[in-house]
Amino acid sequence: MADQEADQTQARTAADLTAVVGQLSRRLRAASPQGELTPTQRSALSRIATDGAATTAALARAELVRPQSMRLTLGYLEERGLLERTPHPTDGRQVVYSVTGEGRRTLTSLRQSKQSWLAGAIADRLTPDEQRTLTEATELLKRLAAEAPEGLAGTDVPSDPHASRQSDAPSDIRAQQ
């Protein structure tokens, strides 16, 4: 009986947390400059800025979208001057996209807008004790979001898609190494 109650409590907590994270994500998107970039465009730009230059196919796989969709996203970002393309170093049929200085400035601006809104909301809406609790909860959320060690349930969950890589080589080339 106690196990069943614990399972129900965990299921409710998971449902509540999922809903709250979604709401917070929407609030953060709303806090950044309107019309700047779609979530898909932001994600692709951020991935390239974090992981390094990549081909359309590699980005499509990483973002779980079709190459045709990614091609449109990259075309828009290139047209805006946020990305630039160069020939692939080993395959002349492909191009590699990398972030421009303007792309980095745009990402910085978007992130600062979100962080400023969130920092203000924390300061305005939470007591000092609640702020300490939030700091502790943030550490717990980091543990939840981390990739599970091998051999444990949930290892099929991908690691942080924006984690830094050591190489500056295009991501599809890194995968071959």
Side-chain angles (χ1 to χ4, degrees):
M1 196 68 140
D3 286 343
Q4 201 172 31
E5 287 179 25
D7 289 347
Q8 289 175 347
T9 299
Q10 290 168 353
R12 275 193 307 274
T13 300
D16 289 348
L17 183 57
T18 300
V20 169
V21 167
Q23 290 170 341
L24 183 59
S25 292
R26 286 187 293 281
R27 293 296 303 261
L28 288 169
R29 273 195 306 271
S32 60
Q34 290 297 317
E36 188 71 27
L37 297 174
T38 68
T40 301
Q41 293 162 350
R42 290 179 202 184
S43 182
L45 184 61
S46 181
R47 181 175 296 279
I48 296 169
T50 302
D51 293 352
T55 65
T56 302
L59 286 165
R61 279 190 305 274
E63 292 289 315
L64 304 175
V65 299
R66 294 182 181 182
Q68 297 86 341
S69 298
M70 183 55 68
R71 195 171 296 113
L72 292 173
T73 298
L74 295 173
Y76 176 81
L77 294 170
E78 183 182 22
E79 185 178 295
R80 293 267 323 268
L82 306 177
L83 291 180
E84 63 186 356
R85 72 165 97 184
T86 56
H88 191 282
T90 61
D91 184 348
R93 299 168 297 170
Q94 296 188 61
V95 295
V96 176
Y97 289 89
S98 56
V99 178
T100 64
E102 183 61 27
R104 290 195 187 284
R105 284 187 291 280
T106 297
L107 281 173
T108 298
S109 173
L110 291 169
R111 289 178 181 142
Q112 286 176 341
S113 296
K114 291 177 182 183
Q115 289 173 359
S116 292
W117 173 83
L118 188 54
I122 290 169
D124 294 344
R125 299 178 190 170
L126 301 179
T127 67
D129 284 343
E130 290 170 328
Q131 291 177 27
R132 281 188 288 281
T133 299
L134 183 60
T135 299
E136 293 169 5
T138 300
E139 292 305 314
L140 296 175
L141 291 170
K142 286 178 187 177
R143 283 184 25 213
L144 286 176
E147 186 173 357
E150 285 195 37
L152 295 180
T155 56
D156 58 338
V157 176
S159 63
D160 178 7
H162 301 291
S164 295
R165 294 189 186 167
Q166 297 296 322
S167 173
D168 287 328
S171 60
D172 61 327
I173 294 172
R174 284 191 298 268
Q176 296 171 4
Q177 294 176 344

